[in-house]
Amino acid sequence: MDLKYLLREPKNISSKTPLLILLHGYGSNEQDLFSFVPTLPEDWLIVSFRAPFNTEYEGFSWYDLDLMNEENRIDVPQAKKSLEAILESIMKISNQYGLTDNETHLAGFSQGGILSYALALNYPDLFSKIACMSCYPEEKLLENMVKDKKKLERLRFFVSHGIDDAVVPLDWAKKGAELLYDLSCYFSFREYMSGHGVNQKNYMDLMDFFQK
């Protein structure tokens, strides 16, 4: 499953060029988080993927949702297909640009954040900085989660959530912080006066996280 994407190349690319992967939320598209590009480090290669499944109103999703079904809220097979597609696409892009000695970062919003948790905790050797915004860690995608603290200690997480989020409750987001704490991961957990979105303070803190 080939994913479509938007890409911003830095002026110079070497084997050490950092790669940032952007994963949008349900019903959105690759343009959404790509709007962050002007304030991200100029020497990074930035890729914003489009989710593979169609939603109503011409948007895209990483997997179907059934919010009325507590037992099967997410379409797990679709989500796992998306995770595989993201990994394959990252490998292709890394090979294409000869990124053999670099760091790969993730930033995901909502569904994209849920997948960012799964990618980082299932494959910690592949990633460095991970931003999980307005989301939670989905247990059904973490069955193969790595618990080796030596492998997890190099990860850096930025977790943010709006206190008035009516889509993903704040309590769900706090479970993410609890999980990262239990795994001895390095993370910051930030709450903002916002709903299901990224307000200006959240955005500034996110940029600060990636600039460090």
Side-chain angles (χ1 to χ4, degrees):
M1 188 160 57
D2 282 336
L3 298 179
K4 294 184 178 177
Y5 57 84
L6 290 173
L7 182 140
R8 197 284 309 268
E9 290 182 346
K11 284 181 182 174
N12 301 303
I13 297 180
S14 74
S15 61
K16 294 185 177 181
T17 295
L19 172 63
L20 173 62
I21 302 299
L22 303 172
L23 303 175
H24 66 75
Y26 181 90
S28 188
N29 61 46
E30 69 276 23
Q31 300 275 358
D32 187 13
L33 299 188
F34 201 68
S35 62
F36 292 0
V37 163
T39 49
L40 286 163
E42 290 180 2
D43 59 342
W44 287 15
L45 178 64
I46 301 173
V47 178
S48 184
F49 287 123
R50 175 194 292 181
F53 302 107
N54 294 315
T55 63
E56 290 183 285
Y57 312 115
E58 298 183 357
F60 300 91
S61 74
W62 299 102
Y63 51 84
D64 287 342
L65 290 170
D66 184 356
L67 298 177
M68 305 307 291
N69 185 341
E70 281 192 31
E71 287 301 307
N72 296 296
R73 188 178 281 112
I74 80 164
D75 187 319
V76 175
Q78 280 188 345
K80 289 184 175 177
K81 276 185 185 174
S82 286
L83 287 169
E84 286 173 17
I86 293 166
L87 283 169
E88 284 176 16
S89 297
I90 291 172
M91 294 305 175
K92 279 183 188 173
I93 290 166
S94 296
N95 289 336
Q96 181 185 338
Y97 285 94
L99 306 179
T100 54
D101 194 27
N102 71 320
E103 291 186 336
T104 298
H105 310 301
L106 293 168
F109 176 80
S110 198
Q111 264 197 0
I114 290 168
L115 294 191
S116 295
Y117 267 123
L119 287 163
L121 295 176
N122 290 335
Y123 308 97
D125 293 342
L126 300 181
F127 303 103
S128 296
K129 291 183 176 181
I130 304 98
C132 300
M133 299 171 283
S134 303
C135 66
Y136 69 98
E138 174 54 63
E139 290 178 10
K140 292 178 179 179
L141 302 180
L142 293 170
E143 292 161 348
N144 300 315
M145 180 173 65
V146 172
K147 295 181 180 176
D148 182 340
K149 290 180 180 176
K150 277 272 192 309
K151 290 186 175 181
L152 295 170
E153 67 185 9
R154 55 188 290 280
L155 298 176
R156 297 287 182 269
F157 285 87
F158 172 86
V159 181
S160 66
H161 214 86
I163 59 173
D164 297 317
D165 192 327
V167 178
V168 178
L170 180 60
D171 284 348
W172 292 15
K174 287 180 177 177
K175 287 178 184 173
E178 290 165 11
L179 174 64
L180 295 176
Y181 179 82
D182 289 343
L183 292 170
S184 299
C185 289
Y186 179 92
F187 72 97
S188 63
F189 178 77
R190 308 280 180 89
E191 296 176 16
Y192 298 93
M193 301 285 286
S194 66
H196 193 66
V198 178
N199 69 8
Q200 188 176 8
K201 181 69 172 78
N202 187 350
Y203 183 80
M204 290 168 65
D205 289 344
L206 175 68
M207 292 303 117
D208 189 48
F209 169 71
F210 280 131
Q211 297 279 2
K212 284 179 181 174

